[in-house]
Amino acid sequence: MLFRQLEYLVALSRERHFARAAQACHVSQPALSEAIRKLEDELGVPLVLRGRRYEGLTPEGERIVVWAQRLLADRDALKSEVGALRTGLSGRIRIGSVPTASGAVALLTAPFCLAHPLVTVEVAADLRSEDILRRLRNFEIDAGVTYLHKGLAEHFRAVPLYEERYVLLTGTADAPEHRSTATWAEASRLPLCLLTEAMQGRQVLDEVFAEAGVRPSPRVETDSVAALFAHVRTGRWAGIVPHTWLHVFGVPHGMRAVPMTEPARSVPVGLVTVVREPESVMARALREVAGRTDVAAALDRLPGDPVPR
């Protein structure tokens, strides 16, 4: 059995298409198909449901994929460990993030790359929390930045980073200087631009609106954070955003950002890695960086604010 055969099987499971799997592995489709067929012969079980096109994996194939992912992750971890002992940490670290936490990821990758100049970073910044945990379990990413909850303790290690809070971005006429907060009921009556209902960030907002006994009727919906800020910047719409986005985009000219209250809501966000022994050297190095980085304080500073000495 060769690692290459396991890589082909994992790619086929992920891509669900022989040609795409072959392209991802940089081989021809016949070479990939033949390697998987030889793996079936070695193991003595069928792994792929074959018809005129790819029809999925057999039950045996589904189980073998889990083992293949684990073996490949252990191989990569071994290479990283040996490389770190010889020349320092090198290779690629893969980080998954929920969209609202992309600013926090940047605050970790900067000191991480400074400490480990031979490592490259790959960030998938538009994942749902459940997708991050699934990818961690399947060894498809090394770490995730996501919402924390009690059920994580059994299978994952978590480093708390900050509490996500929500602010109303609106024109000064809707948020006079003497008002330091805004309620969710008040916000629901404004011409809002919000994320689409399919996005997790919007679903969190809808839960808080419901708790306040109101339902928003946004005039504009978008699946892009940048587009949301662009609309708010025109002054015709208000928006509700996590305070972390202000760290990246700032407060648009002519607008104010006021904390949301009644109810006040905050959600813990942290760095999550999977529990495994021996632990991935990449994951361990990133957790060490997270442990000594004050992400919460950095996110509370807006662009242009002086950095404390």
Side-chain angles (χ1 to χ4, degrees):
M1 185 187 305
L2 301 175
F3 281 120
R4 183 174 63 252
Q5 292 170 295
L6 301 180
E7 290 172 346
Y8 293 172
L9 181 63
V10 169
L12 182 60
S13 173
R14 181 182 66 249
E15 301 294 338
R16 305 185 63 80
H17 191 277
F18 276 100
R20 289 198 298 268
Q23 184 178 18
C25 295
H26 307 290
V27 297
S28 67
Q29 182 174 333
L32 181 137
S33 298
E34 181 60 22
I36 292 178
R37 195 179 297 276
K38 288 182 177 179
L39 181 60
E40 291 177 315
D41 292 341
E42 287 187 57
L43 296 174
V45 293
L47 303 177
V48 181
L49 296 171
R50 289 183 172 86
R52 296 186 63 183
R53 63 183 64 187
Y54 176 78
E55 297 179 1
L57 300 180
T58 64
E60 296 88 348
E62 295 286 356
R63 289 296 302 154
I64 297 302
V65 163
V66 175
W67 279 102
Q69 290 169 325
R70 185 177 303 172
L71 289 169
L72 293 172
D74 286 341
R75 177 204 60 181
D76 294 341
L78 174 61
K79 287 183 177 180
S80 295
E81 191 81 42
V82 172
L85 292 172
R86 188 175 63 247
T87 60
L89 196 60
S90 63
R92 177 180 293 266
I93 185 170
R94 302 158 301 171
I95 305 171
S97 168
V98 293
T100 56
S102 56
V105 175
L107 295 173
L108 295 178
T109 55
F112 178 85
C113 289
L114 185 63
H116 306 286
L118 300 180
V119 178
T120 58
V121 180
E122 176 184 336
V123 179
D126 194 20
L127 301 178
R128 298 178 301 172
S129 287
E130 53 265 37
D131 292 332
I132 289 174
L133 301 184
R134 175 183 56 79
R135 291 194 184 194
L136 283 170
R137 285 191 296 265
N138 292 342
F139 306 103
E140 296 174 11
I141 57 176
D142 302 291
V145 179
T146 185
Y147 300 107
L148 303 182
H149 54 81
K150 294 180 181 179
L152 289 174
E154 184 177 356
H155 301 291
F156 301 95
R157 293 186 177 95
V159 179
L161 297 176
Y162 64 93
E163 292 280 332
E164 181 177 276
R165 307 184 306 274
Y166 301 95
V167 298
L168 175 68
L169 284 177
T170 186
T172 54
D174 296 315
E177 290 292 338
H178 69 276
R179 293 292 304 276
S180 59
T181 62
T183 70
W184 292 83
E186 290 170 338
S188 70
R189 296 190 290 269
L190 296 175
L192 291 174
C193 175
L194 299 178
L195 296 177
T196 61
E197 293 181 348
M199 299 190 70
Q200 187 171 4
R202 169 64 183 279
Q203 293 165 15
V204 172
L205 297 186
D206 285 346
E207 290 175 4
V208 187
F209 274 120
E211 185 178 341
V214 294
R215 181 181 178 86
S217 298
R219 297 286 304 279
V220 180
E221 294 180 306
T222 176
D223 62 356
S224 164
V225 175
L228 187 151
F229 266 79
H231 280 81
V232 169
R233 190 180 294 273
T234 67
R236 297 190 59 181
W237 293 278
I240 299 173
V241 300
H243 78 291
T244 54
W245 289 359
L246 301 181
H247 174 77
V248 179
F249 291 96
V251 179
H253 178 71
M255 307 289 287
R256 290 192 62 211
V258 293
M260 301 292 298
T261 60
E262 297 183 31
R265 173 67 63 89
S266 66
V267 184
V269 175
L271 178 73
V272 178
T273 57
V274 72
V275 172
R276 56 182 297 202
E277 292 297 338
E279 183 181 15
S280 160
V281 64
M282 289 286 190
R284 184 172 67 243
L286 186 60
R287 284 199 304 108
E288 290 172 354
V289 168
R292 61 176 182 263
T293 303
D294 193 344
V295 173
L299 290 174
D300 283 338
R301 294 195 299 270
L302 297 182
D305 286 353
V307 178
R309 295 185 179 275

